[in-house]
Amino acid sequence: MMHKTSMDLNLAKLTQCAPETVQAQSVAEVMLALGSNYQAEKYLPLAREMLATLGEIQLSTAFQNPDFTATTQLLKPDYTNQCVHLALTTPISLQQLQHTFKMLEGNCNRCRQAEANQVRLVTMDIDILLIKLAEKENSLSKESISESTSNWIVMADRYPFKAHENAGIDELVDVSY
């Protein structure tokens, strides 16, 4: 049975950090936003499969959303978005995790170049919304150095979250078993 993670979801009260400030920190869990506006039915399952090799994953419902950058002059395909809670088997630094996610996007044939005035087709986009740092132990007391090391941290460059991201996070943390 999949259990839902428990966390204080009062996002406004959570610490916000720019990703650069926590690059070297060891991360134990992440909340991710997956997005695809091109062959989502192929690339979302592929991304989930690759993420599952890193640890235990829990998934929100996948939502289909219009591209908020579309205009009447430049129509764009809808995105399929899904949130993922990933509890890493082995904590790694945020920098290593970001590099791993870029590689996973590449494994999904993500192309980052687009011609001017051309619709950008995104096979897979993986964004880190929240991180939970690995607990550090004090070698003298064998206790956590600080209670705050177990709190979730909001990635400031992603906040405030989009409606579908909030909905996905709410769904993943709704109930603790």
Side-chain angles (χ1 to χ4, degrees):
M1 173 163 103
M2 294 294 273
H3 64 280
K4 297 189 182 208
T5 187
S6 60
M7 65 186 257
D8 175 7
L9 194 62
N10 187 343
L11 294 172
K13 288 188 177 177
L14 292 179
T15 302
Q16 290 185 38
C17 287
E20 312 79 68
T21 64
V22 287
Q23 287 289 293
Q25 296 290 321
S26 191
V27 175
E29 298 177 49
V30 289
M31 283 284 191
L32 305 172
L34 306 183
S36 174
N37 72 356
Y38 181 71
Q39 296 184 354
E41 66 289 343
K42 172 183 177 180
Y43 291 110
L44 275 173
L46 181 59
R48 292 188 300 251
E49 193 178 298
M50 290 187 283
L51 289 170
T53 66
L54 302 174
E56 182 183 339
I57 64 170
Q58 297 163 24
L59 307 169
S60 74
T61 303
F63 300 98
Q64 191 162 353
N65 299 297
D67 184 326
F68 70 93
T69 64
T71 63
T72 51
Q73 292 78 29
L74 186 60
L75 299 174
K76 297 183 179 183
D78 289 349
Y79 268 87
T80 301
N81 300 103
Q82 185 170 40
C83 286
V84 178
H85 171 253
L86 169 61
L88 295 161
T89 304
T90 307
I92 61 173
S93 74
L94 179 60
Q95 187 172 23
Q96 289 172 296
L97 201 54
Q98 290 168 323
H99 179 72
T100 299
F101 294 155
K102 292 283 179 251
M103 285 179 30
L104 293 183
E105 290 173 344
N107 291 344
C108 289
N109 301 316
R110 167 89 187 247
C111 178
R112 297 191 175 279
Q113 312 292 313
E115 299 297 317
N117 296 327
Q118 184 183 357
V119 173
R120 208 169 93 198
L121 298 179
V122 179
T123 56
M124 182 49 52
D125 183 41
I126 303 173
D127 291 318
I128 300 172
L129 302 178
L130 298 157
I131 63 170
K132 188 173 186 180
L133 299 179
E135 292 200 28
K136 296 178 179 140
E137 291 193 343
N138 177 326
S139 56
L140 298 174
S141 67
K142 290 291 182 200
E143 291 178 22
S144 290
I145 289 172
S146 143
E147 200 53 41
S148 67
T149 59
S150 65
N151 289 342
W152 286 88
I153 296 172
V154 175
M155 292 293 94
D157 63 334
R158 295 288 308 161
Y159 192 76
F161 299 138
K162 297 173 183 146
H164 62 84
E165 293 167 341
N166 279 320
I169 291 170
D170 284 349
E171 190 178 328
L172 287 170
V173 298
D174 198 21
V175 179
S176 266
Y177 291 100

